[in-house]
């Protein structure tokens, strides 16, 4: 059994949640999916690729010029650094909360559910902030870009809902949790 321990107000030990580390890991991993797939492989956008139409007055760096691509690549690298730090933070929190039998945590629906929810939260926050409020880039700029941006938000909401449902179907953690195999009734 994986043990995760936290403290209650009365000083009694109770199982610590893996919700926070799962969500933080999901945010970082979701950012990596966005950055690697949409920025690098598909090259649909970069961090500053729509600043010619943004809502905050950021200088435009045309991603179709060498100097513009250099600046967009720099900001993509800063974005990836933040994603990497989120993954490291999530791992550190998880490691501090799970004291033994860590393999069970990594194979649990609970952790993977919270990670999916974190990925969805990344999509929702990044989509609303960067695509709609700031307008610094869009999922796929051009005709119909609003539909791509809305689709990104819908995917985020589905990931949050799916992750929440997945983690609820998993086995709880902690010394007092009943032993059962995932996918089978208790």
């Amino acid at each position: 059994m994986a043990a995760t321990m936290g403290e209650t107000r009365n000083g009694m030990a109770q199982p610590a949640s893996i919700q926070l580390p799962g969500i933080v890991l999901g945010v970082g991993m979701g950012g990596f999916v966005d950055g690697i797939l949409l920025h690098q492989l598909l090259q649909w956008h970069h961090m500053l690729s729509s600043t010619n139409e943004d809502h905050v007055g950021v200088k435009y760096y045309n991603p179709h010029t060498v100097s513009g691509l250099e600046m967009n690549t720099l900001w993509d690298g800063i974005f990836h650094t933040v994603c990497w730090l989120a993954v490291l933070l999530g791992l550190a929190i998880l490691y501090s909360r799970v004291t033994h039998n860590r393999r069970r945590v990594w194979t649990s629906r609970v952790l993977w559910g919270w990670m999916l929810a974190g990925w969805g939260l990344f999509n929702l926050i990044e989509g609303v902030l960067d695509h709609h409020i700031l307008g610094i880039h869009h999922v796929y700029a051009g005709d119909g870009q609003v539909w791509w941006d809305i689709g990104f938000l819908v995917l985020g909401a589905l990931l949050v809902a799916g992750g929440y449902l997945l983690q609820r179907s998993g086995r709880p953690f902690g010394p007092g949790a009943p032993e059962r195999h995932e996918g089978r009734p208790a």
Side-chain angles (χ1 to χ4, degrees):
M1 171 178 296
T4 62
M5 298 301 292
E7 294 292 320
T8 63
R9 289 181 192 203
N10 63 8
M12 299 287 293
Q14 83 171 29
S17 172
I18 60 172
Q19 178 181 9
L20 177 63
I23 288 173
V24 173
L25 279 167
V27 166
M29 297 303 286
F32 276 134
V33 170
D34 178 282
I36 293 167
L37 181 65
L38 301 180
H39 296 213
Q40 294 174 325
L41 295 176
L42 296 175
Q43 298 179 19
W44 283 3
H45 70 261
H46 298 281
M47 282 307 294
L48 304 177
S49 57
S50 293
T51 54
N52 58 330
E53 317 172 339
D54 71 349
H55 305 293
V56 290
V58 176
K59 181 181 176 193
Y60 179 56
Y61 298 99
N62 184 343
H64 303 293
T65 66
V66 173
S67 62
L69 186 56
E70 286 174 341
M71 185 57 76
N72 273 285
T73 302
L74 172 69
W75 279 96
D76 287 350
I78 292 169
F79 171 76
H80 279 107
T81 301
V82 171
C83 295
W84 180 66
L85 292 173
V87 169
L88 289 179
L89 178 62
L91 288 172
I93 297 169
L94 184 64
Y95 184 80
S96 73
R97 291 188 177 186
V98 179
T99 57
H100 67 278
N101 199 2
R102 290 184 173 108
R103 171 182 265 167
R104 189 179 133 217
V105 175
W106 284 107
T107 60
S108 77
R109 292 178 184 170
V110 176
L111 179 63
W112 290 100
W114 285 125
M115 286 176 66
L116 280 176
W119 179 3
L121 286 173
F122 165 82
N123 277 24
L124 292 171
I125 294 166
E126 195 270 340
V128 168
L129 185 63
D130 290 345
H131 305 165
H132 297 281
I133 293 174
L134 300 176
I136 59 174
H137 69 256
H138 299 280
V139 174
Y140 191 78
D143 293 337
Q145 72 188 18
V146 71
W147 296 110
W148 286 99
D149 293 344
I150 289 171
F152 192 78
L153 295 176
V154 169
L155 174 61
L158 291 173
L159 287 168
V160 169
Y164 179 76
L165 293 173
L166 180 63
Q167 69 81 28
R168 285 188 47 98
S169 73
R171 181 170 39 171
F173 289 66
E179 283 292 326
R180 67 181 174 97
H181 296 287
E182 295 211 21
R184 296 184 188 164

